[in-house]
Amino acid sequence: MKLPALNNKSERPAELNRREFFKSGAAVASVTLAPGVTLMAFGGEASANADPGKRWGMLIDVNKCSTDCNACVTACSEENGWKLDGNPETDPQWIRKIDLKHKETGREASLPMMCQHCEEPPCVDVCPTGASFKRVDGIVLVDKHICIGCRYCMMACPFKARSFVHEAVEDQKSNAPRGKGTVESCTLCVHRVDKGGTPACVESCSATGNGAMMFGDLNDPNSEIAQALKNYPSMGLRDDLRVNPGIRYTNL
Ligand code: SF4
Ligand code: SF4
């Protein structure tokens, strides 16, 4: 059975009012975590730079992704300051590699999995505080100021793309504020994108020579990614859920 499309909470007046209330409160109570690092970075400030004409996304060519390559995961970890602790139950889930094997054909595939930046994000729909939000350019983020750590979004995400920060965080990156007791996920390197850059994972994949990851504006018909999506078959993971992910896969 197909699920009906979810309403976009960002378009609901009542929700907007509640978010604006929380965000104005957050602005007054900006928390300093370390010199130069405040949680404000993922609140209203992150949204201010979003261009409503764009929808940022990725196209991942599974044929070009090597099973033994982990460059995208390493690059994300270094860029955003998270580390794996050897415990899959609690480790950060910003990006991970997944190996698949087709039951009938035996064909194997390796692919990076991260927040799919859904157009109809269940994580946003269930968040009771408005901390989980989607920018007008399609990037889904968590405002750490108003996240109460209830983890509803983790349960709602079909891709296990979110994780909870269990321990106090030290040596944070100023571009990726993290805080104990809050939920986090891939930000599509919004700090880079807002300066005209490319996510660290995509840059590192290109540097390996594999070139399995392409980033760009899905709304621009002349962009490389839009042209590739037009000319080659692709799919979103769990397209049956109708969340319309911004991350597309080809040759899967
Ligand atoms: S992949 Fe999960 S965390 Fe990311 S937007 Fe979709 S539901 Fe939310
Ligand atoms: S954990 Fe935070 S972001 Fe997730 S649903 Fe709860 S308040 Fe919202």
Side-chain angles (χ1 to χ4, degrees):
M1 184 183 76
K2 287 191 173 180
L3 296 176
L6 298 169
N7 290 329
N8 184 346
K9 283 182 86 176
S10 64
E11 292 170 3
R12 295 176 190 169
E15 186 59 27
L16 262 181
N17 290 341
R18 188 170 59 161
R19 276 186 206 164
E20 290 312 312
F21 170 79
F22 275 114
K23 281 178 182 167
S24 61
V28 172
S30 178
V31 177
T32 301
L33 302 170
V37 180
T38 72
L39 291 175
M40 278 304 294
F42 283 164
E45 289 176 9
S47 282
N49 298 320
D51 180 342
K54 296 186 185 299
R55 187 184 179 202
W56 296 115
M58 276 190 208
L59 177 61
I60 296 170
D61 187 339
V62 177
N63 273 357
K64 294 181 179 173
C65 180
S66 311
T67 305
D68 57 0
C69 180
N70 220 34
C72 54
V73 178
T74 303
C76 180
S77 167
E78 288 174 358
E79 178 74 16
N80 295 298
W82 55 267
K83 294 185 187 71
L84 296 175
D85 207 19
N87 187 346
E89 297 294 322
T90 54
D91 271 347
Q93 299 291 319
W94 287 60
I95 184 170
R96 63 193 191 277
K97 283 296 296 292
I98 290 180
D99 295 324
L100 302 175
K101 187 172 185 179
H102 196 285
K103 281 182 187 166
E104 289 158 11
T105 64
R107 180 179 173 241
E108 295 183 354
S110 178
L111 55 92
M113 168 73 94
M114 70 291 274
C115 172
Q116 303 290 294
H117 296 279
C118 309
E119 184 178 12
E120 306 288 353
C123 58
V124 172
D125 215 43
V126 301
C127 179
T129 67
S132 190
F133 70 103
K134 185 183 73 170
R135 303 200 328 172
V136 289
D137 59 5
I139 299 179
V140 177
L141 299 172
V142 178
D143 184 337
K144 309 295 172 56
H145 272 295
I146 51 179
C147 174
I148 56 173
C150 67
R151 292 173 260 188
Y152 286 1
C153 56
M154 288 174 63
M155 288 184 274
C157 174
F159 307 104
K160 295 190 187 303
R162 289 198 162 180
S163 41
F164 184 73
V165 181
H166 290 265
E167 304 293 342
V169 181
E170 296 172 357
D171 302 329
Q172 301 193 54
K173 303 280 184 179
S174 59
N175 53 267
R178 308 177 64 225
K180 180 181 178 182
T182 64
V183 163
E184 59 185 7
S185 54
C186 156
T187 65
L188 218 55
C189 280
V190 64
H191 56 287
R192 285 172 164 240
V193 172
D194 283 344
K195 291 177 184 157
T198 302
C201 56
V202 177
E203 196 173 276
S204 70
C205 182
S206 178
T208 65
N210 289 330
M213 305 174 85
M214 185 186 292
F215 171 79
D217 179 11
L218 306 178
N219 281 351
D220 176 1
N222 298 317
S223 67
E224 187 185 11
I225 190 169
Q227 287 290 319
L229 286 167
K230 183 178 160 195
N231 294 324
Y232 303 103
S234 66
M235 59 180 287
L237 300 179
R238 295 299 312 268
D239 267 343
D240 57 314
L241 296 177
R242 299 172 65 185
V243 295
N244 192 11
I247 312 297
R248 313 295 300 180
Y249 293 81
T250 188
N251 290 315
L252 182 59

